[in-house]
Amino acid sequence: MKSDQKSLPKTFCVLPWTHRFTNMNGRIQVCCSSEEYPNSIRRDDGLPFKITDHASDEEIMNSKFMKDLRLQMLKEEWPSFCKRCQLTEATGGVSRRLSENERFEKELSSLIKKTETDGTIPVEVKSVDMRLGNICNLACRMCNPRSSSAWIKDWLKVDQHHFVVSEEEFTSFSHFDWFKSEKLFENFKSQVSSIKYLHFAGGEPLFVPEMLRFLEICVDSGHSKSIELSYNTNITVIPEKLKTLWPKFKGVKLLCSIDAYGERNDFIRYPSKWDTIHQNLKDLDVHFKEYGLKEVLIAATVQVYNILKLEELVTYLFENFKHITPIPHFVDLHVPNYYNTQILPLDLKLKAKSQLEAIFKKYGALIQSGKLPATYTPFLMTIKGSINHMMAVNKQEFIPLFLRASLSKSKLRNEDLFSKIPELRELESYASTSQEDQKRTSL
């Protein structure tokens, strides 16, 4: 990250000044990086804003909630729901806060100067992030039915310790359809002239037909060439129509959620097929310029299942592609707590640490020698962040919960956990932890 940020208030994040985030359930929240915590933007009556309220950008961005949030940041206080960024930075990682501040670097001083003493700002939303419901073709091991429709039919058959909801809320997961509203599309048409960054996630956004309609509105408005598109995608499918729409934008960035090489990725991100992912990555690489791509980056969720096999993924990327960034962006998993790498025994942590340090040294040398561009340095630094995160705390008491959750999902899928992830076999010795200890480790 650039040193210019040192002059800012130490907790300042540009997003409360420029950004609109709508979660998969239609709630308007602060940002996606804080959604693990209570972060819904609230109306002045205390109720959360929902996209179906059709509130204006002015009402949302200058609500008492947002004004207080901005003042808190300017006072160098960490908001309670910004914990992920706070923890990431504390362990030397590159947080969403730092990345967004760098993206809007030229505007930061002006935005602060225009902020009134009560936190009011002149509203111009330049960054829009929409989670288009929970429609997804994958049921990843660390996911849940709120985020993936593919989990709904089987969720009650597996251990649910980290995600227990009421019957009413569970039923609502089958009805996330706010993004089909005609009023929403009309509102979007009025916003599109100021948008500079448009991001989609899900679920799996490339599965959602309405995503294409948002793009068509941008193109028809004549503003698409001023808009940079980005996606979080599992890259299991690329609709043909996208290949003709993408070049009409300023650029397209893909953050491809891939957690391991080959069969291990299919195990984590069930039931993905590695051959399909490989072919889609090849297609993106070969047609990089033709599709209007600006960046294809692998976003790897660092967790118990993959921490000892990340070197294979990095090697695969380095050896197979010309345009795809060879160093993944490592994102440490925080929730569910028992998939967090901090639960591992010390011997496995030290083994993982050694492997990650070798990756850092190898690709750091390539950057220093000029064989890889210096722009890859922030991704390289996420490796250090993952090491520091893993080593920061000992949470071995969560291992029994990990085994309960993992073994229940393996039973559902007729898999042998320890055949698929043999390095975790030593965790079996923790299965005898007493019931009292298990209660004590509740989240």
PDB file of all heavy atoms in Angstrom, residues 348-363:
ATOM      1  N   LEU A 348       1.469 -28.604  12.608  1.00  0.00           N
ATOM      2  CA  LEU A 348       0.910 -28.320  11.288  1.00  0.00           C
ATOM      3  C   LEU A 348       1.051 -26.846  10.934  1.00  0.00           C
ATOM      4  O   LEU A 348       1.284 -26.490   9.768  1.00  0.00           O
ATOM      5  CB  LEU A 348      -0.554 -28.747  11.233  1.00  0.00           C
ATOM      6  CG  LEU A 348      -0.824 -30.253  11.294  1.00  0.00           C
ATOM      7  CD1 LEU A 348      -2.315 -30.542  11.161  1.00  0.00           C
ATOM      8  CD2 LEU A 348      -0.051 -30.999  10.200  1.00  0.00           C
ATOM      9  N   LYS A 349       0.921 -25.980  11.923  1.00  0.00           N
ATOM     10  CA  LYS A 349       1.128 -24.551  11.675  1.00  0.00           C
ATOM     11  C   LYS A 349       2.553 -24.276  11.188  1.00  0.00           C
ATOM     12  O   LYS A 349       2.773 -23.513  10.243  1.00  0.00           O
ATOM     13  CB  LYS A 349       0.860 -23.733  12.946  1.00  0.00           C
ATOM     14  CG  LYS A 349      -0.610 -23.541  13.280  1.00  0.00           C
ATOM     15  CD  LYS A 349      -0.745 -22.605  14.475  1.00  0.00           C
ATOM     16  CE  LYS A 349      -2.200 -22.305  14.785  1.00  0.00           C
ATOM     17  NZ  LYS A 349      -2.364 -21.356  15.905  1.00  0.00           N
ATOM     18  N   LEU A 350       3.524 -24.904  11.841  1.00  0.00           N
ATOM     19  CA  LEU A 350       4.922 -24.676  11.459  1.00  0.00           C
ATOM     20  C   LEU A 350       5.213 -25.217  10.067  1.00  0.00           C
ATOM     21  O   LEU A 350       5.977 -24.613   9.302  1.00  0.00           O
ATOM     22  CB  LEU A 350       5.851 -25.317  12.489  1.00  0.00           C
ATOM     23  CG  LEU A 350       5.846 -24.669  13.879  1.00  0.00           C
ATOM     24  CD1 LEU A 350       6.711 -25.461  14.846  1.00  0.00           C
ATOM     25  CD2 LEU A 350       6.319 -23.216  13.799  1.00  0.00           C
ATOM     26  N   LYS A 351       4.590 -26.335   9.733  1.00  0.00           N
ATOM     27  CA  LYS A 351       4.757 -26.890   8.388  1.00  0.00           C
ATOM     28  C   LYS A 351       4.161 -25.951   7.348  1.00  0.00           C
ATOM     29  O   LYS A 351       4.776 -25.672   6.307  1.00  0.00           O
ATOM     30  CB  LYS A 351       4.090 -28.262   8.319  1.00  0.00           C
ATOM     31  CG  LYS A 351       4.306 -28.985   6.994  1.00  0.00           C
ATOM     32  CD  LYS A 351       3.696 -30.384   7.054  1.00  0.00           C
ATOM     33  CE  LYS A 351       3.936 -31.117   5.727  1.00  0.00           C
ATOM     34  NZ  LYS A 351       3.322 -32.485   5.752  1.00  0.00           N
ATOM     35  N   ALA A 352       2.961 -25.453   7.618  1.00  0.00           N
ATOM     36  CA  ALA A 352       2.317 -24.513   6.695  1.00  0.00           C
ATOM     37  C   ALA A 352       3.123 -23.220   6.596  1.00  0.00           C
ATOM     38  O   ALA A 352       3.300 -22.664   5.501  1.00  0.00           O
ATOM     39  CB  ALA A 352       0.891 -24.225   7.161  1.00  0.00           C
ATOM     40  N   LYS A 353       3.621 -22.752   7.715  1.00  0.00           N
ATOM     41  CA  LYS A 353       4.424 -21.521   7.737  1.00  0.00           C
ATOM     42  C   LYS A 353       5.653 -21.667   6.862  1.00  0.00           C
ATOM     43  O   LYS A 353       5.995 -20.767   6.080  1.00  0.00           O
ATOM     44  CB  LYS A 353       4.829 -21.209   9.178  1.00  0.00           C
ATOM     45  CG  LYS A 353       5.677 -19.953   9.368  1.00  0.00           C
ATOM     46  CD  LYS A 353       5.910 -19.693  10.858  1.00  0.00           C
ATOM     47  CE  LYS A 353       6.721 -18.422  11.092  1.00  0.00           C
ATOM     48  NZ  LYS A 353       8.149 -18.637  10.794  1.00  0.00           N
ATOM     49  N   SER A 354       6.335 -22.798   6.940  1.00  0.00           N
ATOM     50  CA  SER A 354       7.521 -23.035   6.134  1.00  0.00           C
ATOM     51  C   SER A 354       7.197 -23.016   4.643  1.00  0.00           C
ATOM     52  O   SER A 354       7.924 -22.427   3.836  1.00  0.00           O
ATOM     53  CB  SER A 354       8.154 -24.375   6.523  1.00  0.00           C
ATOM     54  OG  SER A 354       9.266 -24.668   5.709  1.00  0.00           O
ATOM     55  N   GLN A 355       6.089 -23.654   4.279  1.00  0.00           N
ATOM     56  CA  GLN A 355       5.689 -23.694   2.870  1.00  0.00           C
ATOM     57  C   GLN A 355       5.341 -22.300   2.359  1.00  0.00           C
ATOM     58  O   GLN A 355       5.752 -21.917   1.249  1.00  0.00           O
ATOM     59  CB  GLN A 355       4.497 -24.629   2.700  1.00  0.00           C
ATOM     60  CG  GLN A 355       4.816 -26.090   2.943  1.00  0.00           C
ATOM     61  CD  GLN A 355       3.585 -26.973   2.836  1.00  0.00           C
ATOM     62  OE1 GLN A 355       2.484 -26.509   2.548  1.00  0.00           O
ATOM     63  NE2 GLN A 355       3.757 -28.261   3.100  1.00  0.00           N
ATOM     64  N   LEU A 356       4.601 -21.544   3.150  1.00  0.00           N
ATOM     65  CA  LEU A 356       4.202 -20.204   2.727  1.00  0.00           C
ATOM     66  C   LEU A 356       5.404 -19.270   2.633  1.00  0.00           C
ATOM     67  O   LEU A 356       5.486 -18.427   1.728  1.00  0.00           O
ATOM     68  CB  LEU A 356       3.161 -19.640   3.685  1.00  0.00           C
ATOM     69  CG  LEU A 356       1.793 -20.335   3.672  1.00  0.00           C
ATOM     70  CD1 LEU A 356       0.901 -19.795   4.786  1.00  0.00           C
ATOM     71  CD2 LEU A 356       1.110 -20.160   2.330  1.00  0.00           C
ATOM     72  N   GLU A 357       6.348 -19.409   3.556  1.00  0.00           N
ATOM     73  CA  GLU A 357       7.556 -18.583   3.492  1.00  0.00           C
ATOM     74  C   GLU A 357       8.361 -18.901   2.243  1.00  0.00           C
ATOM     75  O   GLU A 357       8.973 -17.998   1.643  1.00  0.00           O
ATOM     76  CB  GLU A 357       8.398 -18.799   4.743  1.00  0.00           C
ATOM     77  CG  GLU A 357       7.804 -18.140   5.985  1.00  0.00           C
ATOM     78  CD  GLU A 357       8.587 -18.434   7.252  1.00  0.00           C
ATOM     79  OE1 GLU A 357       9.318 -19.448   7.271  1.00  0.00           O
ATOM     80  OE2 GLU A 357       8.448 -17.657   8.228  1.00  0.00           O
ATOM     81  N   ALA A 358       8.350 -20.159   1.816  1.00  0.00           N
ATOM     82  CA  ALA A 358       9.061 -20.538   0.589  1.00  0.00           C
ATOM     83  C   ALA A 358       8.409 -19.890  -0.634  1.00  0.00           C
ATOM     84  O   ALA A 358       9.101 -19.430  -1.551  1.00  0.00           O
ATOM     85  CB  ALA A 358       9.074 -22.058   0.451  1.00  0.00           C
ATOM     86  N   ILE A 359       7.075 -19.850  -0.649  1.00  0.00           N
ATOM     87  CA  ILE A 359       6.365 -19.182  -1.745  1.00  0.00           C
ATOM     88  C   ILE A 359       6.725 -17.702  -1.754  1.00  0.00           C
ATOM     89  O   ILE A 359       7.051 -17.121  -2.800  1.00  0.00           O
ATOM     90  CB  ILE A 359       4.840 -19.340  -1.591  1.00  0.00           C
ATOM     91  CG1 ILE A 359       4.433 -20.808  -1.646  1.00  0.00           C
ATOM     92  CG2 ILE A 359       4.106 -18.554  -2.683  1.00  0.00           C
ATOM     93  CD1 ILE A 359       2.966 -21.046  -1.305  1.00  0.00           C
ATOM     94  N   PHE A 360       6.693 -17.086  -0.584  1.00  0.00           N
ATOM     95  CA  PHE A 360       7.003 -15.660  -0.470  1.00  0.00           C
ATOM     96  C   PHE A 360       8.418 -15.362  -0.969  1.00  0.00           C
ATOM     97  O   PHE A 360       8.638 -14.406  -1.726  1.00  0.00           O
ATOM     98  CB  PHE A 360       6.855 -15.222   0.984  1.00  0.00           C
ATOM     99  CG  PHE A 360       7.036 -13.739   1.199  1.00  0.00           C
ATOM    100  CD1 PHE A 360       5.963 -12.870   1.104  1.00  0.00           C
ATOM    101  CD2 PHE A 360       8.291 -13.214   1.506  1.00  0.00           C
ATOM    102  CE1 PHE A 360       6.126 -11.507   1.305  1.00  0.00           C
ATOM    103  CE2 PHE A 360       8.469 -11.857   1.699  1.00  0.00           C
ATOM    104  CZ  PHE A 360       7.376 -11.001   1.603  1.00  0.00           C
ATOM    105  N   LYS A 361       9.350 -16.179  -0.562  1.00  0.00           N
ATOM    106  CA  LYS A 361      10.749 -15.963  -0.962  1.00  0.00           C
ATOM    107  C   LYS A 361      10.929 -16.141  -2.462  1.00  0.00           C
ATOM    108  O   LYS A 361      11.574 -15.315  -3.122  1.00  0.00           O
ATOM    109  CB  LYS A 361      11.651 -16.934  -0.205  1.00  0.00           C
ATOM    110  CG  LYS A 361      13.133 -16.772  -0.507  1.00  0.00           C
ATOM    111  CD  LYS A 361      13.973 -17.739   0.327  1.00  0.00           C
ATOM    112  CE  LYS A 361      15.453 -17.579   0.019  1.00  0.00           C
ATOM    113  NZ  LYS A 361      16.285 -18.528   0.828  1.00  0.00           N
ATOM    114  N   LYS A 362      10.348 -17.193  -3.022  1.00  0.00           N
ATOM    115  CA  LYS A 362      10.515 -17.495  -4.446  1.00  0.00           C
ATOM    116  C   LYS A 362       9.942 -16.379  -5.318  1.00  0.00           C
ATOM    117  O   LYS A 362      10.612 -15.864  -6.228  1.00  0.00           O
ATOM    118  CB  LYS A 362       9.849 -18.820  -4.782  1.00  0.00           C
ATOM    119  CG  LYS A 362       9.881 -19.172  -6.262  1.00  0.00           C
ATOM    120  CD  LYS A 362       9.196 -20.508  -6.522  1.00  0.00           C
ATOM    121  CE  LYS A 362       9.194 -20.835  -8.017  1.00  0.00           C
ATOM    122  NZ  LYS A 362       8.540 -22.149  -8.282  1.00  0.00           N
ATOM    123  N   TYR A 363       8.709 -15.990  -5.052  1.00  0.00           N
ATOM    124  CA  TYR A 363       8.051 -15.011  -5.923  1.00  0.00           C
ATOM    125  C   TYR A 363       8.466 -13.590  -5.576  1.00  0.00           C
ATOM    126  O   TYR A 363       8.439 -12.715  -6.445  1.00  0.00           O
ATOM    127  CB  TYR A 363       6.536 -15.213  -5.878  1.00  0.00           C
ATOM    128  CG  TYR A 363       6.160 -16.524  -6.540  1.00  0.00           C
ATOM    129  CD1 TYR A 363       6.072 -17.693  -5.799  1.00  0.00           C
ATOM    130  CD2 TYR A 363       5.977 -16.605  -7.912  1.00  0.00           C
ATOM    131  CE1 TYR A 363       5.784 -18.912  -6.403  1.00  0.00           C
ATOM    132  CE2 TYR A 363       5.689 -17.812  -8.533  1.00  0.00           C
ATOM    133  CZ  TYR A 363       5.600 -18.967  -7.763  1.00  0.00           C
ATOM    134  OH  TYR A 363       5.327 -20.169  -8.371  1.00  0.00           O
TER     135      TYR A 363
END
